[in-house]
Amino acid sequence: MDRGIMALLSMLFFINVLLCIWMFTEKEERISICITYLGSLAFAAPLIAADPIGPRCFYISYVFEVLTAAKILQYFLKNRGEIQVFYPALILAVTVCISAVFYVRIFMIIGKYSDYRAELIEEAVEQNAEELTLPVMPFSDYTGYTEPIDEIWNEKFKEFYHIPENMTVRFE
């Protein structure tokens, strides 16, 4: 999908949530919840200028969004007569659990690839190989730079994994 359309839909969603908070909460709680929700935007805004950008850049924004959801849930728990809170709480709990399983699964896969890479490196060093071919890590958006981006980082990569300087390392 086009990034412009995604950005527009994201802004509309953000504004919609803000309007719902404004319309369905009382004044004293409204301001506190809106400030917390706008905090997620404030922490994400500087990322417009960042490159590269990945999901880990938004962790603090995610924290503020979860705080907002907790404040909204707390508000509706205090005003129990106005809304049934069991179902929203259940939906929130299921969403959190699904997200946790999703992230655990991603990092388990990354861990397996990392272990496999370590085995390949160890074998190549033991055999005094001239060239080492390592697999590209999956989900690299979640871990940052998993392959050296230039010669300086290539040297640091070799130093970290105790790879001899004369060994050529390729990533496929």
Side-chain angles (χ1 to χ4, degrees), residues 25-169:
T25 57
E26 295 171 4
K27 185 177 181 179
E28 48 287 335
E29 294 293 326
R30 176 184 310 149
I31 294 171
S32 172
I33 295 171
C34 284
I35 288 173
T36 305
Y37 191 60
L38 289 169
S40 69
L41 179 64
F43 281 107
L47 295 174
I48 291 173
D51 186 38
I53 192 168
R56 63 194 179 102
C57 296
F58 293 96
Y59 286 154
I60 191 70
S61 292
Y62 298 154
V63 168
F64 272 77
E65 300 247 343
V66 168
L67 285 173
T68 302
K71 282 183 167 224
I72 291 169
L73 187 60
Q74 178 186 12
Y75 171 78
F76 285 120
L77 282 172
K78 282 196 299 187
N79 302 319
R80 204 177 274 209
E82 295 179 21
I83 189 169
Q84 177 63 268
V85 292
F86 174 75
Y87 294 111
L90 181 63
I91 291 170
L92 180 63
V94 168
T95 304
V96 167
C97 289
I98 289 171
S99 298
V101 168
F102 174 75
Y103 280 109
V104 166
R105 181 69 181 136
I106 285 175
F107 286 108
M108 284 176 66
I109 292 169
I110 291 170
K112 285 182 183 180
Y113 267 80
S114 181
D115 293 343
Y116 178 62
R117 269 184 166 186
E119 289 174 17
L120 291 175
I121 291 169
E122 189 176 319
E123 287 175 16
V125 170
E126 285 176 1
Q127 296 173 0
N128 292 324
E130 293 180 16
E131 187 175 288
L132 170 63
T133 303
L134 297 174
V136 174
M137 296 287 276
F139 308 109
S140 59
D141 287 348
Y142 292 89
T143 55
Y145 298 106
T146 56
E147 290 83 33
I149 56 175
D150 58 22
E151 192 56 41
I152 293 170
W153 284 103
N154 192 36
E155 291 173 18
K156 292 179 187 274
F157 184 88
K158 286 180 176 182
E159 182 180 333
F160 182 81
Y161 287 103
H162 308 292
I163 300 171
E165 289 181 26
N166 62 345
M167 187 182 292
T168 305
V169 180

